[in-house]
Structures are given as structure tokens and as C-alpha cells.
Amino acid sequence: MKKYVMAFLFSGTLVLSGCSGLLDQVSDTTTYVTEAHEYVNDIQQFTEEFPKLAEEAVQDAAKKADLMQQLESLKADIQEFNELTAPKIAEDLHRQIMEKISCCQRKFKPIYSN
């Protein structure tokens, strides 16, 4: 009987140690999804506000400085997101977001150079 109990405990330990790795993966994925969601929301908000901000920047030097500061902040956010390591399950999503980032960077490049 003692052998069966020991075998059961050993098996349970193996199963639980395997679950630990799975829980780590779930945690990493949850963290990534949260970061990606916040990033996408920030980008969406900026793109909605950008036309108004750009129009105001043309007429007011202070507004132009504010817009340039927001663009620099956006640039830093892009770099920060770019440094995230996507979990295996979210690699395709990360690739798609990075493609959109690249598109945005090309569109904003003329603004940075002025």
C-alpha cells in the first residue's frame, strides 16, 4: 500500500510540475494580451485625435510643439511594444501589429523630418 501512495504522490508531483509550466505560459500570454490591448487603444485614440491636432498645429506653434511631443511619445511606445516578446500563441497577432506599426512609421516619417 505504501508503494501505491508513494507512486501516487510522485505522479501527482510530476503532473503539478507540468501544470506550472502551463500556468506560466498562460500568465505570459495574459500579460502580452493586456499590453497589446493597451497599446492598440493608445494608437487608436491618437489616430482619432490626430486630424484635429494637426490642424491646430498648423495655426499655433504651441500646439505644434504639443503634437511633436505626442509623436515622440508615440515613437517611444512603438519601440517599447516592439521589444515585447510575444508568446507562441500570439506570434501572428504580434506580426500583424508590427506591420501596422511599420506603416504608421512610414506615414509619420515626413512629420519627424520637418
Side-chain angles (χ1 to χ4, degrees), residues 1 14 23 25 33 43 58 70 74 78 87 94-95 101:
M1 182 71 169
L14 287 177
L23 291 175
Q25 289 177 341
V33 168
I43 295 294
V58 170
Q70 286 186 14
L74 179 64
I78 289 170
H94 189 76
R95 183 187 52 74
I101 288 171

Side-chain angles (χ1 to χ4, degrees), residues 46-74:
F46 180 80
T47 57
E48 289 171 359
E49 295 172 356
F50 182 75
K52 181 183 177 210
L53 295 172
E55 185 178 309
E56 291 172 349
V58 170
Q59 300 171 3
D60 184 350
K63 296 287 184 175
K64 181 178 181 181
D66 289 344
L67 177 59
M68 294 307 291
Q69 183 180 12
Q70 286 186 14
L71 285 171
E72 287 299 321
S73 177
L74 179 64

